[in-house]
Amino acid sequence: KRNIIMDCDPGHDDAIAMILAVANQNTLSIEAITTVGGNVDVEKNTLNALKVCDIIQLNDVPVAKGAERPLVKDIVVAESIHGESGLEGPNLPDVPTKQAESVHAVDLISDKLHKSNGPMTIVATGPLTNVAMVLIKEPELKHKIKEIVLMGGGTFGNWTPAAEFNFYVDAEAAHVVFNSGIPIRMFGLDVTHQVQATDQVISRISNIDNHVSEFIVELLRFFNKTYQDVFHFDGAPIHDACTIAYLIDPAMFKFKHVHVDIETKGEHTYGMTAVDRLGVTGKEPNVYFAYEADTTKFWDLLERSIAFYSDK
Ligand code: BDR
Ligand code: CA
């Protein structure tokens, strides 16, 4: 079993990543869920994480609120994609039942790393602010991290022509993480755009007919409409869920071991990932870059995982 900490900004696709992880606790042990400012502000992202925990009855895993702003820049949010609450679509109660811990996310992550016997995997599906802060605060903790499995970057952008949203929000944090020497599995837009929830996918999920499938269908109807309106896609990419799908079934994705640098200066390229696919820099590879997804396996796994939540 892999011990994981999920650092996220739910977020439609972050929520689906959580649902996938909880349904597969035979493979994954979820040690903590931490939140960061990103899709919307950290207060709202934390409420959303707690509400998702309520829906999937994840009662025994601590949730802690993290950084409200990036290391250097002011925060940028993606209400244009995820709506005002960050999880627009489903009708959710204003106040969750589950409560957040009083500890800061950065301290909860450090504490979990200190106390763990074996190495932990960090799954990061929002801006990398919290993860970078842990590494800045206690650099030696990197030896307790087996791998950072993250969604971000790509060889093109979705927030600017060059930059993907998570890395555009906090490129300096991404720079710290990519230069840490910790093994990184990167699920960028090149691969996450292969996993698009078309209407056909939504009707497949709707046929499962339990409270989680209903929740996901409502999420996806909203998320799809944004992606159709903003990007003219057939369906929304379920970006963040690729990280968890990989941990459950590593054979689902193809990787290239490459060097990746994070642009922190460019006028048009701030937050860009410079992915050295041809090895032109001669620098040591620091990233397993995912470039292909087996989408049949992906949708089968999602379907099985949603069916796990049978309504009693
Ligand atoms: C990433 O940005 C967020 O809006 C999504 O949750 C995902 O993590 C995609 O660029
Ligand atoms: Ca996210």
Side-chain angles (χ1 to χ4, degrees):
K1 259 202 194 183
R2 248 164 111 140
N3 296 335
I4 64 168
I5 294 175
M6 297 182 76
D7 188 69
C8 56
D9 61 342
H12 296 69
D13 49 335
D14 302 78
I16 297 174
M18 288 169 68
I19 290 168
L20 207 53
V22 171
N24 289 277
Q25 292 182 85
N26 54 336
T27 321
L28 304 172
S29 168
I30 309 164
E31 302 296 318
I33 293 175
T34 52
T35 59
V36 62
N39 283 331
V40 285
D41 67 52
V42 73
E43 298 291 338
K44 289 182 186 169
N45 286 334
T46 310
L47 282 177
N48 291 342
L50 294 166
K51 289 176 190 177
V52 176
C53 287
D54 280 352
I55 291 169
I56 52 183
Q57 290 175 9
L58 186 63
N59 305 319
D60 48 355
V61 171
V63 173
K65 185 175 77 179
E68 63 177 50
R69 49 154 292 180
L71 295 183
V72 178
K73 275 198 325 172
D74 288 337
I75 187 143
V76 176
V77 293
E79 282 181 5
S80 56
I81 305 293
H82 296 271
E84 201 193 326
S85 69
L87 210 52
E88 228 40 69
N91 220 337
L92 297 171
D94 287 345
V95 185
T97 312
K98 188 173 167 70
Q99 297 203 340
E101 306 294 309
S102 50
V103 64
H104 191 279
V106 171
D107 295 321
L108 181 64
I109 298 172
S110 305
D111 191 51
K112 288 284 176 187
L113 291 172
H114 274 296
K115 290 187 178 146
S116 81
N117 298 324
M120 300 253 251
T121 297
I122 295 190
V123 182
T125 57
L128 288 164
T129 321
N130 289 337
V131 183
M133 282 173 74
V134 170
L135 297 173
I136 291 167
K137 191 172 165 232
E138 291 186 79
E140 74 283 6
L141 278 178
K142 76 176 194 186
H143 300 296
K144 304 214 75 174
I145 303 174
K146 179 184 168 81
E147 190 174 30
I148 298 176
V149 179
L150 59 85
M151 189 281 139
T155 56
F156 53 91
N158 63 0
W159 202 253
T160 69
E164 179 278 331
F165 176 74
N166 288 339
F167 288 5
Y168 181 80
V169 174
D170 201 342
E172 283 77 11
H175 175 84
V176 170
V177 170
F178 278 64
N179 284 284
S180 65
I182 300 167
I184 294 173
R185 287 275 152 183
M186 168 178 158
F187 293 85
L189 299 177
D190 303 71
V191 73
T192 66
H193 279 186
Q194 295 170 27
V195 185
Q196 286 182 28
T198 56
D199 288 344
Q200 205 190 349
V201 168
I202 298 185
S203 76
R204 213 173 135 183
I205 296 173
S206 153
N207 285 338
I208 303 170
D209 199 21
N210 61 23
H211 74 286
V212 175
S213 73
E214 249 171 58
F215 173 61
I216 294 193
V217 166
E218 286 163 2
L219 279 180
L220 288 180
R221 289 219 171 102
F222 180 92
F223 206 31
N224 271 14
K225 170 124 187 33
T226 340
Y227 263 87
Q228 279 159 3
D229 294 349
V230 179
F231 296 111
H232 310 293
F233 279 19
D234 289 339
I238 316 299
H239 309 278
D240 295 340
C242 291
T243 57
I244 298 291
Y246 156 74
L247 290 169
I248 299 165
D249 180 4
M252 202 184 283
F253 297 94
K254 286 192 185 150
F255 298 93
K256 195 163 171 60
H257 199 197
V258 297
H259 187 86
V260 178
D261 276 317
I262 311 291
E263 175 62 84
T264 56
K265 297 187 191 75
E267 182 185 350
H268 304 289
T269 52
Y270 175 85
M272 173 184 166
T273 42
V275 181
D276 187 7
R277 289 198 67 161
L278 298 182
V280 295
T281 61
K283 290 184 186 169
E284 274 292 301
N286 58 346
V287 168
Y288 289 94
F289 171 87
Y291 66 90
E292 199 178 306
D294 183 330
T295 54
T296 307
K297 280 191 177 166
F298 183 92
W299 300 120
D300 285 351
L301 172 70
L302 187 63
E303 188 175 38
R304 272 202 311 280
S305 303
I306 299 170
F308 159 88
Y309 299 92
S310 58
D311 288 338
K312 301 206 174 83

